[in-house]
Amino acid sequence: MILQSGKARAVACVAGLLLAPTSVRAQPGVETSVGEARASIVQPISVIAEKDLDFGAVNSRHSAPVVVQPMAGASASGASAAKFRVRGEPLRYYQVQVEGRVAAIGKSTGFEVPVIDLTASSSNTGAHDWSGKLDVLGNDTVYVGGSLTLPKDAPSDRYTADVRVIVQYQ
């Protein structure tokens, strides 16, 4: 670059001063420290319904509650727990949330039957405490059970309800 005037030389000189290394002196009584900012990126947690909660065929005159425990397998009456597949970061703990009560609606009658005491259990931990743990591959299965008591005036019908399961890392 050819400098044509005194102004250009002054600009070049000031630029050189700005780029030159400088030393910073600490002021007396002032101290500094440096910490770190960290983050661990984990796989998103997901839950997929694989099997519905089924109370089986129940006689409309049945007055005792029909209870399905939150575990694998089906009873002789065909009742079985709902099954949900959970996937995410291996060996991470997570929380499970399920509404405690839902209304099963008759498909043709619209009649409502309460499904209460919905509970969940993790197959990896066996606990019924609303928590689970993903295995070394990042998998777990959550079973949901509940209780159904038919009102005396419940008409014959096919009853269904949405059972929502929410999972999140602890």
Side-chain angles (χ1 to χ4, degrees), residues 85-101:
R85 177 77 51 206
V86 181
R87 292 192 172 111
E89 187 74 17
L91 303 176
R92 291 286 306 250
Y93 287 93
Y94 65 92
Q95 293 178 321
V96 180
Q97 295 175 339
V98 180
E99 295 177 69
R101 176 188 175 111

Side-chain angles (χ1 to χ4, degrees), residues 114-156:
V115 178
I116 60 173
D117 300 327
L118 290 168
T119 57
S121 174
S122 160
S123 65
N124 287 346
T125 66
H128 292 28
D129 64 357
W130 305 104
S131 67
K133 183 179 181 185
L134 299 169
D135 64 15
V136 295
L137 299 175
N139 297 309
D140 193 9
T141 302
V142 170
Y143 294 96
V144 176
S147 179
L148 173 75
T149 302
L150 292 176
K152 291 182 182 187
D153 59 346
S156 296

Side-chain angles (χ1 to χ4, degrees), residues 13-39:
C13 188
V14 170
L17 288 175
L18 293 175
L19 296 175
T22 60
S23 64
V24 177
R25 294 181 188 215
Q27 297 176 10
V30 176
E31 299 213 14
T32 62
S33 180
V34 176
E36 292 182 352
R38 296 181 184 177

